[in-house]
Amino acid sequence: MTDLIAPADEAGVVEAIRAAVAMREPLAIEGHGSKRALLRPVQAARTLTTRGLSGITLYKPTELVLSARAGTPLPEIEAALAEHGQMLAPEPPDTRSLFGAPDPATIGGIVATNLSGPRRITVGAIRDHLLGIRFVNGVGEMVRSGGRVLKNVTGLDLCKLLAGSHGTLGVLTEVTLKVLPAARASATLAIAVPGVAAGVRALSAGLASPYGVTGAALAPAASGATAWLRLEDFPDSVAYRAGRLRADLAARGDVTLLEGAESEALWRGLRDAAPLAAAPEDAIWRISVRPSAAPGVVAALADALGGRVLLDWGGGLVWLAGPATAAAHVAVMQAAAASRGSFTLFRAPAPLRAAVPVLPEEPAALAAIGARVKAALDPHQIFNPGRMRAAA
Amino acid sequence: MIALPPPKPDILARRTEIVAALLALLPADAVIHETLRMRPYETDGLTAYRQMPLAVVLPSTTEQVAAVVRYCHANGIRMVPRGAGTSLSGGALPLEDAVVIGLMRMNRILEIDFEDRLAVVEAGVTNLGITKAVEHEGFFYAPDPSSQLACMIGGNVNMNSGGAHCLKYGVTANNLLGLKLVTPEGDIVEVGGAHLDHAGYDWLGLLTGSEGMLGIVTEVTVRILRGPEGARAMLAAFKGTEIAGAAVDAIIGSGIIPVALEFMDRPCIHACEAFAHAGYPLDAEAMLIIEVEGSVAEQDALLDRIKEICARFDPISLKVATSAEESMAIWKGRKGAFGAVGRISPDYLCMDGTIPTGELPFVLKRIGEMSTAYGLQVANVFHAGDGNLHPLIMFDANDPDSFHKAETFGAEILRLCVEVGGCLTGEHGVGVEKRDLMPVQFQPHELTQQRAIKTAFDPAWLLNPHKVFPLTEPV
């Protein structure tokens, strides 16, 4: 266990970082540590947590905007939104069971990892809903980017740069998000399709319909596969669209309609990759490809590794569970590269995560720019060393 | 007036040699260096500012762009990328010692894939050109800036363009998958791809809206969406701007996100009605255009709900379109708003701040007071759902004092936007127009941080060095 620094406010974060800079001592950055085992192990003796920076600082339901300190637990935010019939539209996954973490994610951690769930296919990722940030850079300055309004192109968009940077460029202290009304009703069409390729085509057909599909996932079944398409809106709209979509897709396989709580439970499970039912010793990858490439990726990996898969985002996101070996990881990297996609080694024992590239390598010109951007924000390499890539 | 950085004398002195070098890199018809033929490139949508460049090149391929950039980089020559030149903030304004790199010849659509719902297009394809290429299958490209007939996707990426329908569909950044770009040092790189959420730093997100300072975008992979079954508009007119604002809050608060929610104030209603004869109520202080989507029955249900909500706010009139033609009539005045104001006043400045929507009544009241103080008329259009305000300040360009007053008035409005919790620009970009106002929104060290990222991409500050940041020595 590393030494833990837990400032109570933004000024405390600034102070902790300035002290670390003075000592040239790197810091692991986390909220509640629910995704500590994501990506590579961090090489730092001390950990800076934002858990002391907690609480919603602004919520204007009619302006569709919410600000919260970075350490605010996600359930607290979801509960506040639910009171006003609103939601975080990208529905970030709850990764506690995958990582065996006791504490819920913080909103800062959700933004720093840019993790989005099934609705991402329609409404965009967490980064698309990020309106503003306050963060402390690697020389201990508090920097703001964006703001609290929905449309803002003033200056470089550091929000998007920091989102998904896994705490390597700055320590988020407060985030402002666009929130949306939660749908009043939802329903899911479950289609029994002959296999993954037919399933992805069914998802594409659903997403190419005018009915506003907000979830499109697929899992292999005992025979063939099950494709799920979700509709969310006012009850009369959902009923109408489910009927139309069902008729349009009838030729693709038997269609079952799931409504209300049953539909909601299904998508919570898909969001959290529960159907993957990964054994604790398995590694888990998330592979992002164009949907039409997904059947090839699944064929190459599931068969070769004996792995299990779950597809989301219309087939564009392949969750894979398989043996935690370097050989399996090489196969994933090759499959992602062959389909010109991206991959993340999402969960694996630390020795494997430390030994392999957990994210795609970048071309030299981009890697050089990336190193300079890192130096522009964190010149002394204080934040999360080794988290995303091995030190050069 | 906004200052441009002094030209480098050695570059100006080498002009003949530079033109010859560019002619060696590109076909002869792709290099423009005669004064008369360079004239169209001296300005953009912000016509108050003009500057002839050193030369203009019109490459047809990414490799040609890279060859020009490598040459300019090696020789310390500044570069200004340009799409259609529709920027309202001076985003394409040249420099005397800069080569303008125009992307308009890169106008090919490279791939359309309806199954994966994407299109790969070159930077010079127009915004509307993408929709035109996919609409036969019922698809469209969502961001719809008013200039969509002319503006090019490369420019849209660089300015992160919005439009009237981004309340539901998002802005450019939310509709992109990948880019091919030439770095300021002349390397060709791809970011993102045909898939979502490429792991690693979000270069796609950082480059979007970077106003041509971090690289030259040559190819864009966009998401295309299936259109709704139909759409219909309604009009609601109110006795006061506060009342209209409260109606907007009530609509959003009820859980409805209309696909568009446009607000016009009294001067704007009058200007548009005189121009378009759209049947707008002239006794209203504020008017909303509200558009919903879905099947006819779904449109009816949503419009009924919205009508019920508006009825609680003592409206002067509520008019629901019963057909596509009536919807078009309702939109006609709004879409012609800029032209309509142009009819009253030969010149106007179109401002573009964003405010928290709850601040609208206060902001409009203050703008009215400023209008009286400056003696300049102003009409306001407002994307009410997302807080993006477009005051149109009317002035006379033949009177330098009038232009100066209009600029000062505009700057005061933008300061007010920041004061109430908003920002300097919602969708037009900083460009040169709002460059010197950046310290109103950002602390010095915050601008230094942004400049340091510009430096990371462009260590020599050759690419669009006169935009976005107040002129100081590069960090």
Side-chain angles (χ1 to χ4, degrees), chain B residues 45 135 206 229 340 351 382 408 468:
Chain B
E135 66 186 1
L206 178 64
E229 285 187 84
M351 308 312 292
F382 182 59
T408 313
V468 182

Side-chain angles (χ1 to χ4, degrees), chain A residues 367-381:
Chain A
I369 290 172
R372 297 199 297 255
V373 167
K374 165 78 173 169
L377 283 146
D378 179 22
H380 308 297
Q381 313 264 338

Side-chain angles (χ1 to χ4, degrees), chain B residues 101-156:
Chain B
I101 301 177
L103 280 300
M104 58 282 272
R105 287 192 183 169
M106 295 191 63
N107 59 1
R108 285 163 295 191
I109 291 174
L110 303 175
E111 184 188 349
I112 293 170
D113 188 328
F114 292 106
E115 196 179 345
D116 288 338
R117 299 169 303 283
L118 61 85
V120 184
V121 303
E122 290 184 330
V125 173
T126 63
N127 173 292
L128 197 59
I130 301 176
T131 291
K132 291 280 175 210
V134 300
E135 66 186 1
H136 63 281
E137 292 283 343
F139 279 74
F140 71 114
Y141 172 64
D144 59 341
S146 304
S147 55
Q148 67 179 157
L149 187 63
C151 67
M152 293 170 183
I153 189 67
N156 287 184

Side-chain angles (χ1 to χ4, degrees), chain B residues 118-248:
Chain B
L118 61 85
V120 184
V121 303
E122 290 184 330
V125 173
T126 63
N127 173 292
L128 197 59
I130 301 176
T131 291
K132 291 280 175 210
V134 300
E135 66 186 1
H136 63 281
E137 292 283 343
F139 279 74
F140 71 114
Y141 172 64
D144 59 341
S146 304
S147 55
Q148 67 179 157
L149 187 63
C151 67
M152 293 170 183
I153 189 67
N156 287 184
V157 169
N158 276 294
M159 306 312 268
N160 193 11
S161 305
H165 291 82
C166 50
L167 181 57
K168 176 163 180 192
Y169 292 110
V171 294
T172 303
N174 313 120
N175 287 278
L176 298 180
L177 292 171
L179 300 176
K180 183 183 275 189
L181 78 150
V182 176
T183 70
E185 299 182 300
D187 292 304
I188 298 170
V189 297
E190 290 180 43
V191 302
H195 53 286
L196 296 167
D197 297 353
H198 191 85
Y201 291 152
D202 186 0
W203 302 127
L204 181 62
L206 178 64
L207 286 158
T208 306
S210 65
E211 305 206 15
M213 297 190 300
L214 303 186
I216 299 183
V217 172
T218 59
E219 279 179 30
V220 186
T221 304
V222 300
R223 302 184 75 181
I224 52 172
L225 303 177
R226 174 66 192 264
E229 285 187 84
R232 205 142 34 101
M234 66 172 282
L235 182 159
F238 299 94
K239 289 174 187 159
T241 54
E242 284 187 42
I243 301 169
V248 169

Side-chain angles (χ1 to χ4, degrees), chain B residues 377-437:
Chain B
Q377 276 186 283
V378 61
N380 289 290
V381 263
F382 182 59
H383 303 303
D386 56 35
N388 193 192
L389 181 66
H390 292 309
L392 305 172
I393 302 171
M394 296 167 237
F395 69 100
D396 177 2
N398 293 322
D399 172 3
D401 184 49
S402 170
F403 173 61
H404 176 72
K405 275 205 293 193
E407 272 200 321
T408 313
F409 182 3
E412 199 174 326
I413 292 174
L414 296 183
R415 279 196 189 90
L416 175 64
C417 290
V418 175
E419 246 168 61
V420 299
C423 65
L424 295 172
T425 172
E427 59 185 3
H428 294 176
V430 176
V432 292
E433 185 204 19
K434 293 173 278 279
R435 186 192 72 191
D436 293 351
L437 289 171

Side-chain angles (χ1 to χ4, degrees), chain B residues 184-338:
Chain B
E185 299 182 300
D187 292 304
I188 298 170
V189 297
E190 290 180 43
V191 302
H195 53 286
L196 296 167
D197 297 353
H198 191 85
Y201 291 152
D202 186 0
W203 302 127
L204 181 62
L206 178 64
L207 286 158
T208 306
S210 65
E211 305 206 15
M213 297 190 300
L214 303 186
I216 299 183
V217 172
T218 59
E219 279 179 30
V220 186
T221 304
V222 300
R223 302 184 75 181
I224 52 172
L225 303 177
R226 174 66 192 264
E229 285 187 84
R232 205 142 34 101
M234 66 172 282
L235 182 159
F238 299 94
K239 289 174 187 159
T241 54
E242 284 187 42
I243 301 169
V248 169
D249 279 359
I251 293 167
I252 303 265
S254 79
I256 299 173
I257 299 291
V259 65
L261 188 42
E262 296 286 293
F263 175 110
M264 296 160 70
D265 72 354
R266 186 185 184 93
C268 192
I269 297 168
H270 280 249
C272 290
E273 181 58 21
F275 178 63
H277 308 293
Y280 291 171
L282 295 174
D283 50 346
E285 285 301 321
M287 193 187 96
L288 300 175
I289 296 175
I290 308 157
E291 186 171 89
V292 300
E293 288 181 342
S295 68
V296 172
E298 288 178 296
Q299 295 167 19
D300 282 338
L302 281 172
L303 290 169
D304 280 348
R305 283 189 186 103
I306 294 170
K307 221 163 73 177
E308 260 169 49
I309 294 168
C310 288
R312 286 187 239 140
F313 295 89
D314 191 21
I316 291 173
S317 65
L318 291 177
K319 190 160 91 184
V320 175
T322 56
S323 64
E325 291 70 34
E326 286 186 26
S327 276
M328 272 171 60
I330 287 176
W331 272 109
K332 191 178 163 203
R334 165 63 186 90
K335 292 203 165 162
F338 291 11

